[in-house]
Amino acid sequence: MSHSKRLSVVASVHFFIIPQRWVMAIMGFLAVANAYTMRVCLNIAITQMVRRHAPSSAYEEGSCPAEVEEALSDTSEISGYNWDEETQGIILSAFYYGYIVTHLPGGMLAERFGGKYSLGFGVLSTAVFTLLTPWTVNIGGATGLIILRVLEGLGEGTTFPALNAMLARWAPVSERGRMGSLVFGGAQIGNIAGTYLSGLVIKETGDWESVFYLFGSIGILWFILWALLCYNDPESHPYISDKEKKYLEEALGRHRNSQPSAIPWKAIFMSVPLWALVCAQIGHDYGYFTMVTDLPKYMTGVLKFDIHRTGTLAALPYIVMWISSIIFGWLCDKIVKRQWMTVTNARKTFTTIASVGPGICMILASYSGCNTETVVILFTASMGLMGAFYPGMKVNALDLSSNYAGTIMAIVNGIGAITGIIAPFLVGLLTPDSTLVQWRLVFWITLAVFIVTNLVFVAWASGDEQWWNSTPQEARKQTEASGSVNTEVKTQA
Protein backbone atom coordinates (compact mmCIF):
# COMPACT_ATOMS: atom_id res chain seq x y z
CA MET A 1 0.00 0.00 0.00
CA SER A 2 1.45 3.39 -0.98
CA HIS A 3 2.18 6.12 1.57
CA SER A 4 -0.52 8.43 0.15
CA LYS A 5 -3.10 5.65 0.21
CA ARG A 6 -2.26 4.84 3.83
CA LEU A 7 -2.74 8.51 4.73
CA SER A 8 -6.10 8.48 2.94
CA VAL A 9 -7.21 5.41 4.92
CA VAL A 10 -6.05 6.94 8.22
CA ALA A 11 -7.89 10.17 7.40
CA SER A 12 -11.01 8.23 6.45
CA VAL A 13 -10.96 6.23 9.69
CA HIS A 14 -10.49 9.44 11.64
CA PHE A 15 -13.45 11.15 10.00
CA PHE A 16 -15.68 8.09 10.34
CA ILE A 17 -15.72 8.52 14.16
CA ILE A 18 -18.56 11.04 13.71
CA PRO A 19 -20.99 10.51 10.80
CA GLN A 20 -20.35 13.15 8.17
CA ARG A 21 -23.94 14.40 8.23
CA TRP A 22 -23.39 15.31 11.90
CA VAL A 23 -20.01 16.88 11.16
CA MET A 24 -21.86 19.10 8.69
CA ALA A 25 -24.58 19.80 11.27
CA ILE A 26 -22.03 20.74 13.95
CA MET A 27 -20.14 23.05 11.59
CA GLY A 28 -23.46 24.51 10.43
CA PHE A 29 -24.33 25.10 14.09
CA LEU A 30 -21.00 26.93 14.55
CA ALA A 31 -21.67 28.93 11.37
CA VAL A 32 -24.94 30.24 12.75
CA ALA A 33 -23.34 30.82 16.17
CA ASN A 34 -20.55 32.89 14.62
CA ALA A 35 -23.00 34.80 12.44
CA TYR A 36 -25.06 35.74 15.48
CA THR A 37 -22.13 36.75 17.70
CA MET A 38 -21.06 39.20 15.00
CA ARG A 39 -24.63 40.37 14.57
CA VAL A 40 -25.54 40.95 18.24
CA CYS A 41 -22.29 42.13 19.81
CA LEU A 42 -23.21 45.67 18.72
CA ASN A 43 -26.40 45.43 20.81
CA ILE A 44 -24.24 45.32 23.96
CA ALA A 45 -21.43 47.54 22.70
CA ILE A 46 -23.76 50.37 21.71
CA THR A 47 -24.82 50.83 25.34
CA GLN A 48 -21.20 51.88 26.02
CA MET A 49 -20.59 53.68 22.72
CA VAL A 50 -23.28 56.32 23.31
CA ARG A 51 -23.07 59.25 25.68
CA ARG A 52 -24.91 58.58 28.93
CA HIS A 53 -25.91 60.90 31.72
CA ALA A 54 -25.54 60.02 35.36
CA PRO A 55 -28.63 58.24 36.73
CA SER A 56 -30.79 60.05 39.18
CA SER A 57 -31.11 58.57 42.65
CA ALA A 58 -34.72 59.59 42.79
CA TYR A 59 -37.35 57.12 41.61
CA GLU A 60 -39.24 58.57 38.69
CA GLU A 61 -42.65 57.34 37.66
CA GLY A 62 -42.37 54.66 35.00
CA SER A 63 -38.67 53.98 35.55
CA CYS A 64 -36.52 52.00 37.95
CA PRO A 65 -34.02 53.46 40.42
CA ALA A 66 -30.36 53.08 39.45
CA GLU A 67 -28.24 50.57 41.27
CA VAL A 68 -26.27 52.22 44.07
CA GLU A 69 -22.84 51.06 42.84
CA GLU A 70 -23.51 52.34 39.33
CA ALA A 71 -24.78 55.68 40.60
CA LEU A 72 -21.64 56.15 42.67
CA SER A 73 -19.25 55.09 39.92
CA ASP A 74 -20.78 57.17 37.12
CA THR A 75 -19.74 60.77 36.61
CA SER A 76 -22.17 63.46 35.55
CA GLU A 77 -21.56 62.54 31.92
CA ILE A 78 -19.71 59.68 30.25
CA SER A 79 -17.89 60.36 27.00
CA GLY A 80 -19.26 58.73 23.87
CA TYR A 81 -21.19 59.37 20.71
CA ASN A 82 -24.20 61.65 21.03
CA TRP A 83 -26.72 59.30 19.36
CA ASP A 84 -30.36 59.59 20.49
CA GLU A 85 -32.70 56.59 20.73
CA GLU A 86 -34.01 57.05 17.19
CA THR A 87 -30.48 57.11 15.75
CA GLN A 88 -29.59 54.00 17.75
CA GLY A 89 -32.69 52.28 16.37
CA ILE A 90 -31.59 53.08 12.80
CA ILE A 91 -28.08 51.76 13.50
CA LEU A 92 -29.39 48.51 15.01
CA SER A 93 -31.80 47.95 12.13
CA ALA A 94 -29.28 48.79 9.36
CA PHE A 95 -27.94 45.22 9.32
CA TYR A 96 -31.26 43.90 8.05
CA TYR A 97 -31.37 46.18 5.00
CA GLY A 98 -28.47 44.19 3.57
CA TYR A 99 -29.60 40.91 5.13
CA ILE A 100 -32.86 40.67 3.18
CA VAL A 101 -31.21 41.50 -0.18
CA THR A 102 -28.92 38.45 -0.46
CA HIS A 103 -31.39 35.83 0.78
CA LEU A 104 -32.86 34.90 -2.58
CA PRO A 105 -29.62 35.04 -4.60
CA GLY A 106 -27.91 33.06 -1.84
CA GLY A 107 -30.58 30.37 -1.89
CA MET A 108 -30.52 30.04 -5.68
CA LEU A 109 -26.71 29.84 -5.76
CA ALA A 110 -26.75 27.23 -2.99
CA GLU A 111 -29.21 25.05 -4.93
CA ARG A 112 -27.29 25.40 -8.17
CA PHE A 113 -23.70 25.11 -6.94
CA GLY A 114 -24.06 23.86 -3.36
CA GLY A 115 -24.19 25.75 -0.08
CA LYS A 116 -20.57 25.31 1.02
CA TYR A 117 -19.07 28.48 -0.39
CA SER A 118 -22.16 30.69 -0.52
CA LEU A 119 -22.36 30.14 3.24
CA GLY A 120 -18.60 30.18 3.84
CA PHE A 121 -17.81 33.39 1.98
CA GLY A 122 -20.86 35.08 3.49
CA VAL A 123 -19.65 34.45 7.03
CA LEU A 124 -16.07 35.33 6.07
CA SER A 125 -17.09 38.72 4.66
CA THR A 126 -19.07 39.46 7.81
CA ALA A 127 -16.02 38.59 9.91
CA VAL A 128 -13.84 41.01 7.94
CA PHE A 129 -16.40 43.82 8.28
CA THR A 130 -16.70 43.11 12.00
CA LEU A 131 -12.93 43.56 12.40
CA LEU A 132 -13.23 46.91 10.59
CA THR A 133 -16.04 48.21 12.84
CA PRO A 134 -13.94 50.27 15.34
CA TRP A 135 -11.97 51.92 12.54
CA THR A 136 -15.17 52.70 10.61
CA VAL A 137 -16.91 54.25 13.63
CA ASN A 138 -13.90 56.41 14.47
CA ILE A 139 -13.68 57.67 10.89
CA GLY A 140 -17.33 57.80 9.78
CA GLY A 141 -19.39 58.00 12.98
CA ALA A 142 -23.02 56.89 12.83
CA THR A 143 -23.19 57.12 9.03
CA GLY A 144 -20.12 54.94 8.59
CA LEU A 145 -21.46 52.38 11.07
CA ILE A 146 -24.82 52.22 9.29
CA ILE A 147 -23.15 51.57 5.92
CA LEU A 148 -20.87 48.91 7.44
CA ARG A 149 -23.80 47.15 9.10
CA VAL A 150 -25.64 47.03 5.77
CA LEU A 151 -22.56 45.36 4.24
CA GLU A 152 -22.44 42.86 7.11
CA GLY A 153 -26.08 42.04 6.44
CA LEU A 154 -25.30 41.39 2.78
CA GLY A 155 -22.77 38.77 3.86
CA GLU A 156 -24.99 37.05 6.42
CA GLY A 157 -28.04 36.98 4.16
CA THR A 158 -26.81 33.77 2.54
CA THR A 159 -26.51 31.88 5.86
CA PHE A 160 -29.93 30.27 6.32
CA PRO A 161 -30.75 29.63 2.63
CA ALA A 162 -27.37 27.92 2.13
CA LEU A 163 -27.74 25.85 5.29
CA ASN A 164 -31.24 24.82 4.30
CA ALA A 165 -29.98 23.69 0.89
CA MET A 166 -27.26 21.64 2.60
CA LEU A 167 -29.69 20.13 5.11
CA ALA A 168 -31.86 19.02 2.19
CA ARG A 169 -28.85 17.00 0.96
CA TRP A 170 -27.72 15.72 4.35
CA ALA A 171 -30.71 15.45 6.75
CA PRO A 172 -33.03 12.38 6.57
CA VAL A 173 -36.68 13.05 7.48
CA SER A 174 -36.37 10.95 10.65
CA GLU A 175 -33.47 13.15 11.86
CA ARG A 176 -34.66 16.47 10.47
CA GLY A 177 -36.06 17.86 13.73
CA ARG A 178 -32.86 17.13 15.66
CA MET A 179 -30.47 18.27 12.95
CA GLY A 180 -32.51 21.38 12.23
CA SER A 181 -32.73 22.23 15.93
CA LEU A 182 -28.98 21.73 16.32
CA VAL A 183 -28.03 23.86 13.31
CA PHE A 184 -30.55 26.66 13.81
CA GLY A 185 -30.03 26.51 17.58
CA GLY A 186 -26.59 27.96 16.91
CA ALA A 187 -28.40 31.29 16.93
CA GLN A 188 -28.88 30.92 20.68
CA ILE A 189 -25.23 30.06 21.30
CA GLY A 190 -24.31 33.09 19.22
CA ASN A 191 -26.64 35.24 21.27
CA ILE A 192 -25.24 33.77 24.50
CA ALA A 193 -21.63 34.36 23.48
CA GLY A 194 -22.39 37.70 21.85
CA THR A 195 -24.13 39.11 24.90
CA TYR A 196 -22.24 37.49 27.81
CA LEU A 197 -18.73 37.75 26.37
CA SER A 198 -19.33 41.29 25.09
CA GLY A 199 -20.30 42.45 28.58
CA LEU A 200 -17.38 40.59 30.15
CA VAL A 201 -14.78 41.73 27.62
CA ILE A 202 -15.89 45.37 27.72
CA LYS A 203 -15.76 45.34 31.52
CA GLU A 204 -12.30 43.72 31.63
CA THR A 205 -10.74 45.81 28.86
CA GLY A 206 -12.71 49.01 29.41
CA ASP A 207 -12.96 49.29 25.64
CA TRP A 208 -15.98 48.50 23.43
CA GLU A 209 -13.75 48.02 20.38
CA SER A 210 -12.29 44.76 21.74
CA VAL A 211 -15.49 42.74 21.15
CA PHE A 212 -15.39 43.37 17.41
CA TYR A 213 -11.77 42.20 17.17
CA LEU A 214 -12.61 39.07 19.16
CA PHE A 215 -15.65 37.90 17.21
CA GLY A 216 -14.26 38.90 13.81
CA SER A 217 -11.17 36.76 14.41
CA ILE A 218 -13.24 33.76 15.50
CA GLY A 219 -15.33 34.08 12.32
CA ILE A 220 -12.22 33.84 10.14
CA LEU A 221 -11.03 30.75 12.06
CA TRP A 222 -14.43 29.08 11.49
CA PHE A 223 -14.19 29.67 7.73
CA ILE A 224 -10.83 27.86 7.55
CA LEU A 225 -12.27 24.80 9.35
CA TRP A 226 -15.45 24.86 7.24
CA ALA A 227 -13.48 24.91 3.99
CA LEU A 228 -11.44 21.89 5.12
CA LEU A 229 -14.14 19.71 6.71
CA CYS A 230 -17.46 20.20 4.91
CA TYR A 231 -18.80 19.41 1.43
CA ASN A 232 -21.96 20.18 -0.52
CA ASP A 233 -23.40 16.67 -0.51
CA PRO A 234 -22.55 13.04 0.35
CA GLU A 235 -21.59 12.28 -3.27
CA SER A 236 -18.74 14.81 -3.28
CA HIS A 237 -17.44 14.01 0.21
CA PRO A 238 -14.06 12.20 0.06
CA TYR A 239 -14.17 10.75 3.60
CA ILE A 240 -17.77 9.58 3.98
CA SER A 241 -18.21 5.87 4.66
CA ASP A 242 -19.98 3.67 2.14
CA LYS A 243 -22.46 2.71 4.84
CA GLU A 244 -23.46 6.30 5.60
CA LYS A 245 -23.53 7.23 1.93
CA LYS A 246 -25.86 4.31 1.16
CA TYR A 247 -28.07 5.21 4.14
CA LEU A 248 -28.42 8.81 2.97
CA GLU A 249 -29.16 7.74 -0.60
CA GLU A 250 -31.98 5.51 0.62
CA ALA A 251 -33.30 7.97 3.23
CA LEU A 252 -33.24 11.03 0.96
CA GLY A 253 -34.14 9.24 -2.27
CA ARG A 254 -31.74 8.27 -5.03
CA HIS A 255 -33.72 10.27 -7.56
CA ARG A 256 -33.49 13.61 -5.75
CA ASN A 257 -32.19 16.14 -8.20
CA SER A 258 -29.16 17.95 -6.75
CA GLN A 259 -29.41 20.71 -9.36
CA PRO A 260 -33.02 21.58 -10.21
CA SER A 261 -33.22 22.74 -13.80
CA ALA A 262 -35.91 25.37 -13.34
CA ILE A 263 -37.50 26.89 -10.27
CA PRO A 264 -41.33 26.78 -10.48
CA TRP A 265 -41.78 30.38 -9.41
CA LYS A 266 -45.48 30.64 -10.19
CA ALA A 267 -46.35 27.47 -8.27
CA ILE A 268 -44.20 28.54 -5.32
CA PHE A 269 -45.75 31.99 -5.04
CA MET A 270 -49.26 30.55 -5.45
CA SER A 271 -48.67 28.04 -2.64
CA VAL A 272 -50.93 28.70 0.36
CA PRO A 273 -48.81 26.62 2.80
CA LEU A 274 -45.77 28.67 1.79
CA TRP A 275 -47.48 31.96 2.64
CA ALA A 276 -48.72 30.50 5.92
CA LEU A 277 -45.08 29.71 6.69
CA VAL A 278 -44.09 33.27 5.74
CA CYS A 279 -46.63 34.60 8.25
CA ALA A 280 -45.26 32.36 10.99
CA GLN A 281 -41.72 33.55 10.17
CA ILE A 282 -42.84 37.19 10.39
CA GLY A 283 -44.34 36.57 13.83
CA HIS A 284 -41.30 34.68 15.09
CA ASP A 285 -38.80 37.21 13.72
CA TYR A 286 -40.66 40.23 15.06
CA GLY A 287 -40.69 38.85 18.59
CA TYR A 288 -37.20 37.42 18.32
CA PHE A 289 -35.60 40.59 16.94
CA THR A 290 -37.36 42.69 19.56
CA MET A 291 -35.75 40.55 22.26
CA VAL A 292 -32.33 40.05 20.66
CA THR A 293 -31.79 43.65 19.56
CA ASP A 294 -33.39 45.56 22.41
CA LEU A 295 -33.25 43.38 25.55
CA PRO A 296 -29.79 44.80 26.48
CA LYS A 297 -31.21 48.33 26.09
CA TYR A 298 -34.15 47.36 28.32
CA MET A 299 -31.79 46.07 30.99
CA THR A 300 -29.52 49.12 30.94
CA GLY A 301 -32.19 51.76 30.26
CA VAL A 302 -35.12 50.49 32.34
CA LEU A 303 -33.69 48.11 34.93
CA LYS A 304 -30.45 50.16 35.22
CA PHE A 305 -28.09 47.14 35.16
CA ASP A 306 -24.36 47.74 34.69
CA ILE A 307 -22.65 46.42 31.54
CA HIS A 308 -21.38 43.14 33.03
CA ARG A 309 -24.70 42.28 34.64
CA THR A 310 -26.51 43.20 31.44
CA GLY A 311 -24.28 40.89 29.40
CA THR A 312 -24.71 38.02 31.87
CA LEU A 313 -28.47 38.25 32.36
CA ALA A 314 -29.21 39.04 28.72
CA ALA A 315 -27.41 35.81 27.79
CA LEU A 316 -29.46 33.64 30.18
CA PRO A 317 -32.66 33.51 28.07
CA TYR A 318 -30.69 32.25 25.06
CA ILE A 319 -29.04 29.48 27.07
CA VAL A 320 -32.50 28.24 28.00
CA MET A 321 -33.77 28.70 24.43
CA TRP A 322 -30.89 26.62 23.03
CA ILE A 323 -31.51 23.78 25.49
CA SER A 324 -35.26 23.89 24.95
CA SER A 325 -34.86 23.86 21.14
CA ILE A 326 -32.93 20.58 21.38
CA ILE A 327 -35.54 19.10 23.74
CA PHE A 328 -38.42 20.26 21.54
CA GLY A 329 -36.61 18.90 18.45
CA TRP A 330 -36.19 15.47 20.05
CA LEU A 331 -39.81 15.49 21.24
CA CYS A 332 -41.16 16.49 17.82
CA ASP A 333 -39.16 13.76 16.04
CA LYS A 334 -40.45 11.19 18.52
CA ILE A 335 -44.06 12.30 18.09
CA VAL A 336 -43.80 12.12 14.29
CA LYS A 337 -41.87 8.84 14.26
CA ARG A 338 -44.42 7.12 16.53
CA GLN A 339 -47.25 8.66 14.50
CA TRP A 340 -48.84 10.31 17.51
CA MET A 341 -49.30 13.34 15.25
CA THR A 342 -48.99 13.94 11.55
CA VAL A 343 -46.07 16.10 10.45
CA THR A 344 -48.54 18.92 9.72
CA ASN A 345 -50.13 18.87 13.17
CA ALA A 346 -46.74 18.58 14.87
CA ARG A 347 -45.48 21.67 13.05
CA LYS A 348 -48.62 23.62 13.98
CA THR A 349 -48.54 22.51 17.63
CA PHE A 350 -44.92 23.45 18.26
CA THR A 351 -45.28 26.75 16.39
CA THR A 352 -48.28 27.65 18.58
CA ILE A 353 -46.31 26.89 21.75
CA ALA A 354 -43.53 29.14 20.45
CA SER A 355 -45.92 31.99 19.61
CA VAL A 356 -48.47 32.28 22.40
CA GLY A 357 -46.16 31.33 25.28
CA PRO A 358 -43.43 33.94 24.67
CA GLY A 359 -45.94 36.72 24.01
CA ILE A 360 -47.72 36.13 27.33
CA CYS A 361 -44.42 35.96 29.23
CA MET A 362 -43.28 39.30 27.73
CA ILE A 363 -46.50 41.00 28.84
CA LEU A 364 -46.17 39.59 32.36
CA ALA A 365 -42.55 40.79 32.50
CA SER A 366 -43.57 44.31 31.53
CA TYR A 367 -46.09 44.38 34.41
CA SER A 368 -43.55 43.07 36.92
CA GLY A 369 -42.11 46.55 37.28
CA CYS A 370 -38.66 46.77 38.85
CA ASN A 371 -38.75 43.29 40.39
CA THR A 372 -35.61 42.29 38.50
CA GLU A 373 -35.66 38.61 39.50
CA THR A 374 -39.21 38.13 38.23
CA VAL A 375 -38.51 40.07 35.03
CA VAL A 376 -35.43 37.98 34.21
CA ILE A 377 -37.31 34.72 34.96
CA LEU A 378 -40.18 35.72 32.66
CA PHE A 379 -37.90 36.82 29.82
CA THR A 380 -36.01 33.56 30.20
CA ALA A 381 -39.26 31.55 30.08
CA SER A 382 -40.32 33.54 27.01
CA MET A 383 -37.19 32.64 25.08
CA GLY A 384 -37.30 29.05 26.34
CA LEU A 385 -40.76 28.56 24.85
CA MET A 386 -39.58 30.23 21.65
CA GLY A 387 -37.25 27.25 21.18
CA ALA A 388 -40.26 25.27 19.91
CA PHE A 389 -40.11 27.32 16.70
CA TYR A 390 -37.21 25.25 15.40
CA PRO A 391 -38.96 21.85 15.10
CA GLY A 392 -42.15 23.78 14.33
CA MET A 393 -42.03 26.30 11.51
CA LYS A 394 -38.25 26.59 11.08
CA VAL A 395 -37.87 23.17 9.40
CA ASN A 396 -41.21 23.41 7.60
CA ALA A 397 -39.54 24.64 4.39
CA LEU A 398 -37.84 21.24 4.14
CA ASP A 399 -41.23 19.52 4.47
CA LEU A 400 -42.71 21.55 1.63
CA SER A 401 -39.82 21.16 -0.80
CA SER A 402 -36.44 19.46 -0.48
CA ASN A 403 -35.43 20.25 -4.08
CA TYR A 404 -36.00 23.99 -3.65
CA ALA A 405 -35.19 24.22 0.08
CA GLY A 406 -32.67 27.04 -0.40
CA THR A 407 -35.06 29.15 -2.45
CA ILE A 408 -37.96 28.55 -0.05
CA MET A 409 -35.84 29.44 2.97
CA ALA A 410 -34.63 32.56 1.14
CA ILE A 411 -38.21 33.70 0.48
CA VAL A 412 -39.45 32.89 3.98
CA ASN A 413 -36.44 34.13 5.95
CA GLY A 414 -35.93 37.13 3.70
CA ILE A 415 -39.48 38.40 4.13
CA GLY A 416 -39.39 37.66 7.86
CA ALA A 417 -36.13 39.58 8.23
CA ILE A 418 -37.91 42.78 7.20
CA THR A 419 -39.15 42.84 10.79
CA GLY A 420 -35.49 43.23 11.80
CA ILE A 421 -35.69 46.66 10.20
CA ILE A 422 -39.07 47.49 11.70
CA ALA A 423 -38.67 46.22 15.28
CA PRO A 424 -35.55 48.16 16.43
CA PHE A 425 -36.70 51.33 14.69
CA LEU A 426 -40.19 51.07 16.21
CA VAL A 427 -38.73 50.42 19.67
CA GLY A 428 -36.57 53.53 19.29
CA LEU A 429 -39.64 55.61 18.40
CA LEU A 430 -41.87 54.18 21.15
CA THR A 431 -39.29 54.36 23.97
CA PRO A 432 -37.62 57.80 23.76
CA ASP A 433 -37.33 57.92 27.57
CA SER A 434 -36.93 54.15 28.05
CA THR A 435 -39.63 53.88 30.73
CA LEU A 436 -41.66 50.87 31.81
CA VAL A 437 -44.87 52.36 30.42
CA GLN A 438 -43.32 52.94 26.99
CA TRP A 439 -41.85 49.42 26.85
CA ARG A 440 -45.17 47.88 27.90
CA LEU A 441 -46.71 49.11 24.61
CA VAL A 442 -43.81 47.48 22.72
CA PHE A 443 -44.60 44.09 24.28
CA TRP A 444 -48.35 44.37 23.67
CA ILE A 445 -47.66 44.98 19.97
CA THR A 446 -45.36 41.94 19.96
CA LEU A 447 -48.06 39.72 21.48
CA ALA A 448 -50.58 40.88 18.86
CA VAL A 449 -48.15 40.07 16.04
CA PHE A 450 -47.48 36.62 17.54
CA ILE A 451 -51.17 35.72 17.80
CA VAL A 452 -52.28 36.97 14.37
CA THR A 453 -49.44 35.30 12.46
CA ASN A 454 -49.85 32.04 14.38
CA LEU A 455 -53.57 31.88 13.55
CA VAL A 456 -52.71 32.11 9.86
CA PHE A 457 -50.14 29.31 10.20
CA VAL A 458 -52.53 27.03 12.08
CA ALA A 459 -55.25 27.60 9.49
CA TRP A 460 -53.24 27.01 6.29
CA ALA A 461 -49.85 25.43 7.03
CA SER A 462 -48.88 21.97 5.80
CA GLY A 463 -46.16 19.46 6.60
CA ASP A 464 -46.65 17.55 3.34
CA GLU A 465 -44.38 17.71 0.33
CA GLN A 466 -45.91 20.03 -2.27
CA TRP A 467 -46.64 18.86 -5.81
CA TRP A 468 -44.32 21.48 -7.32
CA ASN A 469 -41.32 19.99 -5.48
CA SER A 470 -41.01 17.36 -8.25
CA THR A 471 -38.63 18.46 -10.97
CA PRO A 472 -39.66 17.77 -14.60
CA GLN A 473 -37.33 14.76 -14.66
CA GLU A 474 -38.87 13.32 -11.50
CA ALA A 475 -42.41 13.96 -12.71
CA ARG A 476 -41.62 12.16 -15.96
CA LYS A 477 -40.15 9.18 -14.06
CA GLN A 478 -43.21 9.04 -11.79
CA THR A 479 -45.50 9.12 -14.84
CA GLU A 480 -43.50 6.35 -16.54
CA ALA A 481 -43.54 4.26 -13.36
CA SER A 482 -47.27 4.75 -13.02
CA GLY A 483 -47.76 3.73 -16.66
CA SER A 484 -45.68 0.59 -16.14
CA VAL A 485 -47.79 -0.40 -13.15
CA ASN A 486 -51.02 0.12 -15.09
CA THR A 487 -49.65 -2.00 -17.98
CA GLU A 488 -48.78 -4.83 -15.58
CA VAL A 489 -52.22 -4.73 -14.03
CA LYS A 490 -53.89 -4.90 -17.47
CA THR A 491 -51.62 -7.80 -18.54
CA GLN A 492 -52.43 -9.77 -15.40
CA ALA A 493 -56.10 -9.12 -15.88
Side-chain angles (χ1 to χ4, degrees):
M1 182 181 289
S2 67
H3 180 66
S4 60
K5 189 172 288 186
R6 282 198 301 271
L7 287 177
S8 177
V9 171
V10 170
S12 298
V13 171
H14 174 70
F15 281 100
F16 287 168
I17 295 173
I18 302 175
Q20 291 307 309
R21 63 188 184 279
W22 288 102
V23 172
M24 190 284 298
I26 292 169
M27 289 303 296
F29 157 81
L30 293 174
V32 177
N34 273 286
Y36 270 75
T37 58
M38 294 184 286
R39 183 189 307 189
V40 307
C41 62
L42 178 64
N43 303 341
I44 294 289
I46 200 170
T47 65
Q48 304 304 299
M49 294 166 68
V50 298
R51 187 171 299 166
R52 297 176 294 131
H53 298 279
S56 173
S57 58
Y59 178 82
E60 299 177 3
E61 184 180 0
S63 64
C64 298
E67 295 178 348
V68 175
E69 291 183 5
E70 182 186 13
L72 292 174
S73 64
D74 280 346
T75 56
S76 59
E77 188 176 86
I78 298 176
S79 61
Y81 297 97
N82 191 24
W83 300 336
D84 58 21
E85 289 292 330
E86 185 175 347
T87 301
Q88 292 178 53
I90 295 172
I91 291 171
L92 292 174
S93 66
F95 173 93
Y96 297 98
Y97 284 95
Y99 187 65
I100 62 176
V101 170
T102 50
H103 262 69
L104 194 55
M108 295 171 67
L109 287 172
E111 285 171 354
R112 179 64 58 182
F113 303 108
K116 178 176 179 176
Y117 286 109
S118 58
L119 170 64
F121 286 129
V123 175
L124 177 63
S125 66
T126 305
V128 172
F129 291 133
T130 299
L131 287 171
L132 292 175
T133 299
W135 176 81
T136 303
V137 174
N138 290 330
I139 297 298
T143 302
L145 182 56
I146 289 169
I147 294 172
L148 188 71
R149 292 291 286 182
V150 172
L151 294 175
E152 286 185 30
L154 288 171
E156 277 197 30
T158 63
T159 303
F160 285 106
L163 278 172
N164 225 42
M166 292 195 72
L167 282 171
R169 293 173 168 88
W170 284 97
V173 175
S174 61
E175 299 177 8
R176 191 167 288 168
R178 282 168 289 170
M179 291 183 72
S181 293
L182 172 62
V183 172
F184 299 132
Q188 295 2 295
I189 296 300
N191 285 325
I192 294 164
T195 52
Y196 175 75
L197 291 180
S198 293
L200 179 63
V201 170
I202 290 174
K203 182 181 180 181
E204 294 299 323
T205 63
D207 182 10
W208 59 264
E209 296 182 0
S210 55
V211 300
F212 298 101
Y213 297 135
L214 172 65
F215 294 124
S217 299
I218 294 174
I220 291 175
L221 176 61
W222 170 87
F223 172 77
I224 296 171
L225 294 175
W226 173 259
L228 293 173
L229 295 177
C230 295
Y231 294 82
N232 287 319
D233 49 51
E235 291 77 15
S236 63
H237 202 299
Y239 303 125
I240 191 171
S241 68
D242 292 336
K243 180 180 178 181
E244 183 181 8
K245 187 174 181 179
K246 182 179 179 182
Y247 166 69
L248 290 174
E249 286 176 345
E250 292 174 350
L252 295 171
R254 293 178 183 271
H255 61 277
R256 193 193 61 77
N257 184 14
S258 61
Q259 291 188 351
S261 57
I263 298 173
W265 292 111
K266 182 177 180 181
I268 288 174
F269 284 111
M270 293 292 288
S271 174
V272 174
L274 172 68
W275 288 108
L277 178 57
V278 168
C279 282
Q281 185 74 47
I282 290 172
H284 166 63
D285 282 359
Y286 186 88
Y288 187 75
F289 291 143
T290 297
M291 293 289 285
V292 169
T293 308
D294 295 298
L295 185 57
K297 290 177 63 180
Y298 186 88
M299 289 183 168
T300 55
V302 176
L303 301 179
K304 302 298 192 296
F305 290 169
D306 63 29
I307 185 60
H308 183 233
R309 194 178 181 194
T310 295
T312 302
L313 294 180
L316 181 61
Y318 307 113
I319 296 175
V320 174
M321 184 176 180
W322 176 58
I323 295 171
S324 71
S325 69
I326 294 173
I327 294 172
F328 281 128
W330 170 83
L331 182 60
C332 184
D333 280 347
K334 184 175 182 179
I335 288 172
V336 171
K337 190 172 183 178
R338 297 198 175 185
Q339 298 183 340
W340 293 342
M341 284 186 186
T342 63
V343 174
T344 298
N345 288 335
R347 302 291 183 242
K348 291 179 179 180
T349 299
F350 282 86
T351 301
T352 300
I353 292 171
S355 297
V356 179
I360 292 174
C361 288
M362 287 181 192
I363 295 297
L364 293 175
S366 71
Y367 282 94
S368 297
C370 300
N371 188 334
T372 56
E373 291 79 8
T374 302
V375 171
V376 170
I377 289 171
L378 286 168
F379 278 141
T380 301
S382 175
M383 297 303 289
L385 291 170
M386 208 177 286
F389 264 120
Y390 292 98
M393 51 74 59
K394 203 68 175 179
V395 297
N396 188 225
L398 291 171
D399 299 323
L400 300 180
S401 173
S402 58
N403 284 324
Y404 307 103
T407 298
I408 299 305
M409 176 60 86
I411 295 170
V412 173
N413 221 52
I415 295 176
I418 294 173
T419 62
I421 299 172
I422 298 171
F425 181 70
L426 185 61
V427 169
L429 288 179
L430 295 177
T431 60
D433 306 310
S434 201
T435 65
L436 284 167
V437 175
Q438 291 170 349
W439 273 94
R440 198 168 289 152
L441 177 59
V442 170
F443 293 130
W444 272 113
I445 292 173
T446 304
L447 176 62
V449 172
F450 268 141
I451 291 175
V452 171
T453 54
N454 183 67
L455 287 174
V456 173
F457 186 78
V458 170
W460 289 291
S462 173
D464 300 327
E465 180 182 301
Q466 300 301 291
W467 65 268
W468 41 264
N469 179 60
S470 297
T471 62
Q473 297 92 331
E474 291 172 353
R476 186 162 52 251
K477 288 179 182 179
Q478 291 171 5
T479 302
E480 291 172 356
S482 177
S484 298
V485 171
N486 291 335
T487 302
E488 283 186 26
V489 171
K490 289 179 181 178
T491 301
Q492 292 173 359

